[in-house]
Amino acid sequence: MKTLVIAEKPDMGRNIASVIEPKAQNKRNYLEGERYIITWAIGHLIGLAEPDRYDEKYKKWNFGDLPIIPEEFKLLPNPKTKDQLAIIKELAQRCDSLVNACDAGREGQHIFSLIRRHLKLRHPARRLWISDLTAETIRRGFEELKDETEYANLTEAARARSEADWLVGMNGSRAFTTKHNELLSVGRVQTPVLALIYDRQKLIEAFDSQKFYEVRGVFEQGTTIYRGLWQGDRITEPKKAEEIAAKVKNKPGVVENYEVKDTKEYPFRLYDLTLLQREANGKYGFSAKKTLDTAQALYEKHKVISYPRTNSNYVNDQNIPEMHRILDSLRSTQEYASICEKAEKRFVHKNNKAVCNPAKVEDHHAILPTMKRAGALSPDERKIYDLIVRRFLSHFYPAAEYKVHTVLTLVEEERFKTTIKQLLSLGWKVIYEGGADEGGGSAQRKGSRKKADAEEKEDEEEETDGVFELDASQPVHCADAEVKEKETQPPKAYTEGTLLKAMESAGKQIEDEELRDAMKDSGLGTPATRAATIERLKNVGYIDMQGKKIVITAKGRTAVELIRGAGVELLTSPEMTGQWERRLNEIARGQASAEQFMNQVKRFTVQIVDKVRVQQPAVKTAFARPAAEAAGGSRRRGARGAA
């Protein structure tokens, strides 16, 4: 008998068939060869049943029927794709073994698991686990198939994630909707993300802008001219600032202190999905969903990048020779030949922990280009592909080198600070000359120092690619001094890019990259689901977009206030929900119990219902929906909670 290979999507199935069964007959919904029959799932063929499948009474939303906690969750085929499910069932009857070729991740594992459970397939199964869809990788993957039982913990984690989201989403949405007579979608992940947006908006609205004044001096020593910022407590009176400027203007000064330090800046980390989404949003204004869909097409359709739904910025030892081969391949392309000229393989090796760090690679390595030549890509696909290629190539170049000059100048007992960053060698930044990357070009020339608004900086760094020379033993002359009026700035509204960063670290403002890496296991959602969460918030009317800015609606505000007002702040807590995500990752690694996790979620579900039960109903005007929206909406439509 034959082996049935179940891929996640048709393109994937056809890619696999072209390698393992190149002469397979195309039967439209599957391909059949001598040894293998290859078919596909078209995403989620099966989901968890709605409450009315357990009891007819749940068709009507009544608070008195809550909480709904099934003893055993029922599965329900997606009516739109039931024909494909029937084909899988029929094909399985002609085969004696299975290969799970769904996406190599938690959701891919879940899709295959649901099919097996629903169709009661008892066949022995093996797992194809690959990071790109090139012929070489597929061939090697089939040579190294592993027993499906090795992924039992990942299957448990996927099931726990799905059932936890059902419990919190179904019960939370029904509880708040029926209590307040307004469709209020609640979810294990979406609600704390909404709370992040709400809290940022409240900070912006509460911000009280203050004027302050800076004094800047212009100093000369021979042919050297430089600027300095007055050092002292923030000046809030314009008169004081003008007095300082008048005091030092056209007066002699001395160099109180002069330090020169050599520094190096190394390439930014290889992309994981979230970092790619953040940069595509910043540079091109792409939504998280658009970047994910585009990257998925580059992976699945064009096969020019590795698996994109990864949370790793590093590679394994075995990827190093592959990276060298990819560099050679890119050398022969018209687009990248020139920037590959000075690329050197010696910089990418297994001891370079900025690139190769197996301890930080779990399911998938960082996103890489593949050996396959990029052909006809759409303009958007070309943009995302270019980001990935340039980030990849940057690691084959040396560090950028600078001399940082720090000068303290004293004039009439007034102190001014100057920081000048003198470029010695562009190194890897030559790849971004002309500006090709949000993290590159002029933006990347500024280095990786912590970002802050210029108005809030104690001093500013000036960059030059010329020579800066100063003799600390010689006097200087203050040729000019000027006063600038500034205002303190409120926190910035979230964009999709900055929201993704906040989701990755469960809302914590973390600048340290090492610490950010450690937080990845406890972020809100996963790289694969964060885009869908943001889209969900848009679709249920909780947020709007104003250009790149995310703006919370009246409905979104009221939802957060009602949830917190009910006493279930935990539901809006990014940190706590992030800990749940960490627990799911521990389940996947066999370090935690799925049963214990689900018991915790069930207790929390009961708590939500109990708290909402005693809450006072909100007044209708709290949601402030426009008349047209109210007339066109349905109270029940889309009410199911989502992650």
Side-chain angles (χ1 to χ4, degrees):
M1 294 182 81
K2 299 179 180 180
T3 296
L4 178 62
V5 179
I6 302 176
E8 191 160 322
K9 296 176 184 173
D11 278 352
M12 229 172 161
R14 294 187 184 103
N15 285 328
I16 291 169
S18 69
V19 176
I20 63 171
E21 288 285 8
K23 296 180 180 179
Q25 291 182 296
N26 190 342
K27 305 282 190 177
R28 198 168 70 87
N29 294 99
Y30 64 95
L31 297 106
E32 183 163 359
E34 292 183 4
R35 296 177 56 203
Y36 296 100
I37 301 175
I38 302 96
T39 189
W40 38 83
I42 323 179
H44 284 268
L45 299 182
I46 299 161
L48 296 181
E50 297 282 323
D52 59 78
R53 293 282 173 164
Y54 297 89
D55 193 314
E56 281 286 318
K57 69 180 181 180
Y58 294 137
K59 281 187 176 179
K60 290 185 177 181
W61 288 30
N62 293 311
F63 198 102
D65 293 332
L66 302 177
I68 304 168
I69 302 179
E71 287 187 19
E72 185 72 24
F73 283 86
K74 293 183 179 181
L75 303 182
L76 186 69
N78 183 340
K80 295 179 182 177
T81 53
K82 63 181 181 181
D83 291 345
Q84 184 63 20
L85 186 62
I87 286 166
I88 293 175
K89 181 178 182 179
E90 178 189 325
L91 295 174
Q93 292 170 352
R94 297 202 281 121
C95 298
D96 60 359
S97 63
L98 306 174
V99 170
N100 175 5
C102 293
D103 275 359
R106 190 169 75 188
E107 287 310 297
Q109 195 67 21
H110 189 47
I111 287 169
F112 181 78
S113 169
L114 290 176
I115 292 170
R116 283 187 87 189
R117 282 168 56 197
H118 182 72
L119 296 180
K120 297 181 171 58
L121 303 182
R122 308 300 180 203
H123 308 58
R126 291 172 293 166
R127 184 55 155 117
L128 175 70
W129 194 274
I130 55 177
S131 285
D132 66 61
L133 291 171
T134 57
E136 179 187 357
T137 300
I138 292 170
R139 193 174 295 112
R140 186 170 66 244
F142 269 84
E143 289 170 358
E144 299 171 355
L145 290 173
K146 295 186 178 178
D147 195 285
E148 178 72 6
T149 56
E150 293 188 31
Y151 298 88
N153 290 328
L154 185 61
T155 302
E156 281 293 297
R159 181 172 180 170
R161 193 279 310 158
S162 175
E163 294 177 357
D165 287 344
W166 192 100
L167 286 171
V168 175
M170 285 293 182
N171 286 283
S173 297
R174 287 184 175 224
F176 281 100
T177 296
T178 53
K179 171 60 74 169
H180 302 293
N181 200 33
E182 175 75 18
L183 171 60
L184 294 174
S185 178
V186 171
R188 185 183 61 89
V189 177
Q190 68 160 330
T191 300
V193 173
L194 179 62
L196 284 178
I197 300 166
Y198 173 91
D199 290 340
R200 175 64 58 89
Q201 187 63 36
K202 295 293 280 187
L203 285 175
I204 293 169
E205 291 169 358
F207 186 82
D208 184 16
S209 182
Q210 303 289 327
K211 287 184 179 180
F212 66 98
Y213 301 86
E214 288 182 348
V215 181
R216 293 182 177 277
V218 179
F219 307 101
E220 297 177 349
Q221 186 188 78
T223 58
T224 299
I225 300 174
Y226 64 96
R227 296 164 61 85
L229 180 66
W230 181 81
Q231 301 294 290
D233 293 337
R234 174 172 283 173
I235 303 172
T236 57
E237 296 294 331
K239 183 181 177 182
K240 180 181 178 183
E242 294 290 353
E243 287 173 351
I244 294 171
K247 179 181 177 183
V248 300
K249 192 172 181 177
N250 290 320
K251 297 293 176 60
V254 297
V255 177
E256 184 182 43
N257 191 56
Y258 178 32
E259 293 180 356
V260 182
K261 185 170 70 172
D262 289 323
T263 65
K264 291 184 177 183
E265 289 181 7
Y266 293 91
F268 289 104
R269 296 174 302 164
L270 293 166
Y271 285 122
D272 60 12
L273 176 60
T274 302
L275 186 54
L276 180 64
Q277 288 169 316
R278 282 166 47 192
E279 296 213 352
N281 179 256
K283 181 169 179 61
Y284 301 118
F286 286 6
S287 69
K289 182 180 186 300
K290 182 172 183 175
T291 299
L292 173 57
D293 290 346
T294 305
Q296 193 68 21
L298 291 171
Y299 164 67
E300 200 170 292
K301 179 182 176 184
H302 300 289
K303 301 186 281 294
V304 294
I305 67 168
S306 62
Y307 185 72
R309 299 176 184 230
T310 175
N311 71 342
S312 176
N313 305 102
Y314 305 93
V315 302
N316 290 308
D317 293 7
Q318 60 265 35
N319 297 120
I320 299 299
E322 176 190 1
M323 291 177 74
H324 290 176
R325 290 193 295 272
I326 294 166
L327 171 63
D328 289 336
S329 176
L330 289 169
R331 288 188 199 279
S332 64
T333 64
Q334 185 177 349
E335 306 97 311
Y336 300 108
S338 61
I339 59 174
C340 288
E341 272 184 30
K342 295 184 179 178
E344 297 182 59
K345 294 178 182 176
R346 67 187 178 92
F347 292 112
V348 175
H349 53 83
K350 66 180 182 180
N351 294 319
N352 179 353
K353 293 302 180 187
V355 175
C356 184
N357 196 335
K360 294 184 178 180
V361 180
E362 292 190 7
D363 295 345
H364 297 283
H365 56 68
I367 303 172
L368 303 174
T370 67
M371 294 281 291
K372 193 172 187 303
R373 186 74 59 89
L377 303 181
S378 72
D380 289 344
E381 288 169 345
R382 177 63 62 183
K383 287 173 181 174
I384 297 299
Y385 180 66
D386 188 69
L387 288 178
I388 293 165
V389 170
R390 289 178 187 268
R391 181 61 60 95
F392 168 82
L393 289 174
S394 70
H395 287 274
F396 290 90
Y397 278 76
E401 297 181 9
Y402 297 87
K403 278 189 184 296
V404 178
H405 304 257
T406 305
V407 185
L408 288 179
T409 305
L410 202 62
V411 181
E412 297 292 315
E413 300 303 316
E414 302 293 347
R415 186 172 287 106
F416 295 80
K417 183 176 181 181
T418 304
T419 305
I420 292 177
K421 191 176 179 184
Q422 178 190 353
L423 174 67
L424 303 178
S425 171
L426 262 181
W428 58 275
K429 295 186 181 184
V430 70
I431 285 175
Y432 297 108
E433 283 293 87
D437 185 338
E438 174 66 15
S442 60
Q444 216 154 13
R445 291 279 296 273
K446 292 175 184 174
S448 57
R449 66 181 183 270
K450 293 179 182 178
K451 294 178 181 176
D453 293 336
E455 295 88 344
E456 297 295 331
K457 289 183 180 178
E458 292 289 327
D459 61 302
E460 286 184 342
E461 192 174 79
E462 181 183 335
E463 292 191 21
T464 179
D465 53 9
V467 175
F468 181 79
E469 293 179 336
L470 191 68
D471 187 342
S473 65
Q474 297 298 312
V476 298
H477 176 69
C478 181
D480 196 10
E482 60 179 0
V483 175
K484 280 190 176 181
E485 181 182 289
K486 297 288 186 85
E487 282 191 45
T488 55
Q489 297 298 305
K492 293 185 183 300
Y494 279 117
T495 63
E496 289 201 29
T498 56
L499 182 60
L500 285 166
K501 181 179 181 181
M503 291 171 74
E504 189 176 46
S505 57
K508 289 183 178 292
Q509 298 302 309
I510 298 171
E511 294 296 338
D512 183 83
E513 293 298 345
E514 287 289 323
L515 194 54
R516 287 186 64 79
D517 278 346
M519 283 293 297
K520 278 188 174 183
D521 269 0
S522 54
L524 295 176
T526 67
T529 61
R530 286 174 189 140
T533 299
I534 296 172
E535 291 302 307
R536 175 73 179 167
L537 293 175
K538 295 176 188 175
N539 293 338
V540 298
Y542 285 160
I543 61 172
D544 284 329
M545 301 301 298
Q546 289 182 0
K548 286 185 183 180
K549 288 198 308 184
I550 297 173
V551 180
I552 193 165
T553 64
K555 182 177 178 180
R557 287 171 180 264
T558 303
V560 174
E561 289 164 0
L562 287 173
I563 291 166
R564 286 177 169 165
V568 282
E569 295 88 346
L570 192 64
L571 192 51
T572 64
S573 165
E575 189 170 350
M576 184 57 68
T577 307
Q579 293 299 323
W580 289 3
E581 198 66 51
R582 172 177 284 181
R583 183 60 54 85
L584 288 168
N585 283 308
E586 290 172 350
I587 293 167
R589 293 192 288 264
Q591 299 166 350
S593 161
E595 184 180 0
Q596 287 181 2
F597 172 76
M598 288 306 299
N599 286 338
Q600 178 185 1
V601 173
K602 288 173 184 176
R603 286 194 296 271
F604 182 56
T605 301
V606 172
Q607 182 186 355
I608 292 171
V609 174
D610 288 344
K611 295 280 189 179
V612 177
R613 181 176 284 111
V614 297
Q615 191 176 29
Q616 289 297 313
V619 295
K620 192 66 178 175
T621 53
F623 303 98
R625 293 205 304 172
E629 182 187 339
S634 163
R635 178 183 164 194
R636 302 296 181 230
R637 187 175 60 206
R640 175 173 177 170

